[in-house]
């Protein structure tokens, strides 16, 4: 795997060199300019990245995307005023450019320039996806202190079919700095008991924002666990995985022994607890918890990886390899990446 990574880096370096030479001959080749900017960003070579973003604007001054690229580069380098100016220009040229619209809007909210932020929203709203525009509108209302209207927008946002995690998360974060934060979280949690169009987005946004706002109250959704629909079950799974990432052993054990029977009913929560037990080094408990994997046709490779790792740590190598082989039969790149090394 390390050798493959080194190979990819060498190939990328060769591609960069070839594109640099091409741009010397044809500096107005904007597609190549964008590729170079992206490649330098991937390598965290910020000086070269910014240089090509500036050149992008130079050779394509009426391209909104070019100004968005430059705005992002300037913001990363600490030039906030320059970044805002670039994002403003991007929005003028291309109102449908969601990245630039949201960045420009966010900077204006931070400056408490609410009138201009509203003007940006009005200019872009009809060109953006509806949940993106609704998310911006909710944040503006929160910033202005219009709590009731903001909560209404939040309610509508939760049922958007094209909702993305970050669109909901930034609204919950905005509420997190106000006295209405708990009401906002309860709006989202109420949807955990309903069929929703974007259950994964609701679950992940809630989990991330909840960790920043009031993590001690996260498990209150389990009080009505029998009523949780998919979004609610995914939220519980996401929270358990967060406990595992943070190695919060007591919280993981509490979940296992207090709610174990319920957690076994869903493959999402079953797999999440297996991950948390393995991450916390509770290998015996993990091996026992995931032992019924053959009865779970929806089990995913990453779930079985935790069982394989636990069995191997317990000195049960033969059993670990057997589980890895079962996981490989699931097929796909994820299975090969996570489990292939165990059987070679």
């Amino acid at each position: 795997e390390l050798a493959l990574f080194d190979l990819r880096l060498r190939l990328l370096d060769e591609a960069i060199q070839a594109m640099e030479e091409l741009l010397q001959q044809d500096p107005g080749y904007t597609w190549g300019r964008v590729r170079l900017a992206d490649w330098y960003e991937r390598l965290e070579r910020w000086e070269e990245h910014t240089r090509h973003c500036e050149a992008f604007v130079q050779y394509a001054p009426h391209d909104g995307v070019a100004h968005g690229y430059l705005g992002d580069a300037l913001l990363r380098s600490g030039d906030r005023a320059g970044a805002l100016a670039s994002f403003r220009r991007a929005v003028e040229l291309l109102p449908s450019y969601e990245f630039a619209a949201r960045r420009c809007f966010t900077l204006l909210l931070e400056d408490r320039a609410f009138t201009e932020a509203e003007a940006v929203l009005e200019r872009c709203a009809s060109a953006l996806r509806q949940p993106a525009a609704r998310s911006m509108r909710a944040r503006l209302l929160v910033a202005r202190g219009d709590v009731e209207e903001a909560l209404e927008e939040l309610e509508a946002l939760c049922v958007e079919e094209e909702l993305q995690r970050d669109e909901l998360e930034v609204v919950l974060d905005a509420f997190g700095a106000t006295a209405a934060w708990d009401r906002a979280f309860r709006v989202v949690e109420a949807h955990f008991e309903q069929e929703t169009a974007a259950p994964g987005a609701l679950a992940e946004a809630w989990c991330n924002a909840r960790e920043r706002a009031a993590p001690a109250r996260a498990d209150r959704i389990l009080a009505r666990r029998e009523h949780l629909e998919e979004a609610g079950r995914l939220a519980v799974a996401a929270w358990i995985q967060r406990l595992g990432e943070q190695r919060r052993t007591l919280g993981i054990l509490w979940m296992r022994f207090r709610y174990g029977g319920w957690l076994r009913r869903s493959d999402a929560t079953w797999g999440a607890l297996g991950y948390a037990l393995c991450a916390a080094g509770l290998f015996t408990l993990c091996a026992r918890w995931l032992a019924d994997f053959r009865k779970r046709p929806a089990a995913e490779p990453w779930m079985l990886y935790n069982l394989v790792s636990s069995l191997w740590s317990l000195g049960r190598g033969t059993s670990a390899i057997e589980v890895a082989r079962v996981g490989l039969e699931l097929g796909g790149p994820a299975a090969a990446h996570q489990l292939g090394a165990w059987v070679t």
Side-chain angles (χ1 to χ4, degrees):
E1 190 169 316
L2 182 59
L4 180 59
F5 178 74
D6 289 339
L7 175 60
R8 287 173 177 168
L9 281 181
R10 288 197 300 274
L11 292 174
L12 184 55
D13 284 339
E14 292 174 5
I16 286 174
Q17 183 177 351
M19 190 64 76
E20 288 279 15
E21 292 173 358
L22 180 58
L23 286 172
Q24 289 292 325
Q25 302 170 23
D26 183 7
Y29 181 36
T30 55
W31 185 90
R33 189 76 64 183
V34 172
R35 297 288 75 73
L36 266 180
D38 290 340
W39 291 338
Y40 281 129
E41 180 181 23
R42 188 185 308 174
L43 296 173
E44 299 184 359
R45 291 168 57 176
W46 303 120
E47 185 176 343
E48 294 99 325
H49 170 72
T50 301
R51 174 167 57 84
H52 282 288
C53 290
E54 291 171 341
F56 189 10
V57 170
Q58 177 185 351
Y59 288 101
H62 302 296
D63 188 333
V65 173
H67 290 274
Y69 263 75
L70 180 57
D72 187 51
L74 293 174
L75 189 61
R76 198 189 303 274
S77 68
D79 183 359
R80 191 178 184 281
L84 181 54
S86 291
F87 287 135
R88 281 189 178 115
R89 183 61 175 151
V91 169
E92 290 173 5
L93 292 167
L94 190 61
S96 62
Y97 187 14
E98 187 174 307
F99 171 79
R102 292 179 61 179
R103 285 295 180 93
C104 183
F105 182 80
T106 296
L107 292 175
L108 291 170
L109 284 189
E110 291 174 355
D111 291 342
R112 301 189 66 78
F114 300 149
T115 300
E116 187 179 355
E118 184 174 21
V120 168
L121 176 57
E122 289 178 354
R123 179 176 180 80
C124 300
S126 62
L128 298 177
R129 294 179 309 106
Q130 184 165 298
R134 193 179 293 281
S135 172
M136 293 166 67
R137 189 175 299 111
R139 293 169 63 199
L140 178 61
L141 290 167
V142 172
R144 282 179 163 169
D146 299 327
V147 172
E148 298 305 321
E149 288 186 56
L151 288 170
E152 290 177 7
E153 284 292 334
L154 175 60
E155 174 68 36
L157 185 63
C158 287
V159 298
E160 287 282 357
E161 290 187 6
E162 297 181 1
L163 177 66
Q164 296 178 5
R165 172 196 55 77
D166 59 322
E167 292 163 346
L168 177 58
E169 188 174 332
V170 291
V171 175
L172 288 174
D173 282 341
F175 272 109
T178 73
W181 67 268
D182 189 59
R183 294 177 64 190
F185 276 99
R186 288 188 183 278
V187 167
V188 178
E189 289 164 8
H191 286 276
F192 289 168
E193 299 181 22
Q194 306 168 19
E195 292 187 6
T196 55
L202 257 68
E204 290 294 332
W206 172 87
C207 180
N208 293 343
R210 169 59 80 179
E211 183 177 15
R212 291 186 287 271
R217 302 188 184 185
D219 62 354
R220 72 182 181 190
I221 62 175
L222 284 163
R224 291 181 56 80
R225 56 192 175 277
E226 298 297 339
H227 302 275
L228 294 179
E229 294 293 337
E230 183 181 7
R233 294 190 294 271
L234 290 176
V236 173
W239 189 254
I240 292 173
Q241 286 182 274
R242 193 60 48 85
L243 295 178
E245 292 167 4
Q246 298 172 355
R247 311 295 192 269
R248 292 171 58 182
T249 303
L250 291 180
I252 295 166
L253 290 173
W254 171 254
M255 286 287 185
R256 164 64 183 88
F257 292 107
R258 176 67 178 83
Y259 302 111
W262 181 82
L263 294 174
R264 282 194 179 280
R265 299 183 196 173
S266 161
D267 289 330
T269 51
W270 170 82
L273 185 59
Y275 162 79
L277 291 167
C278 181
L282 302 170
F283 302 125
T284 299
L285 287 177
C286 179
R288 291 173 180 171
W289 177 258
L290 297 176
D292 62 341
F293 69 96
R294 294 183 184 278
K295 300 178 182 179
R296 296 182 178 272
E300 298 179 30
W302 68 267
M303 299 175 181
L304 298 189
Y305 173 85
N306 296 304
L307 177 56
V308 171
S309 182
S310 294
L311 290 170
W312 193 271
S313 298
L314 294 169
R316 297 167 59 186
T318 301
S319 297
I321 292 172
E322 180 183 348
V323 175
R325 287 194 173 117
V326 172
L328 283 173
E329 292 175 1
L330 297 175
H337 174 71
Q338 294 170 339
L339 300 168
W342 295 95
V343 297
T344 56

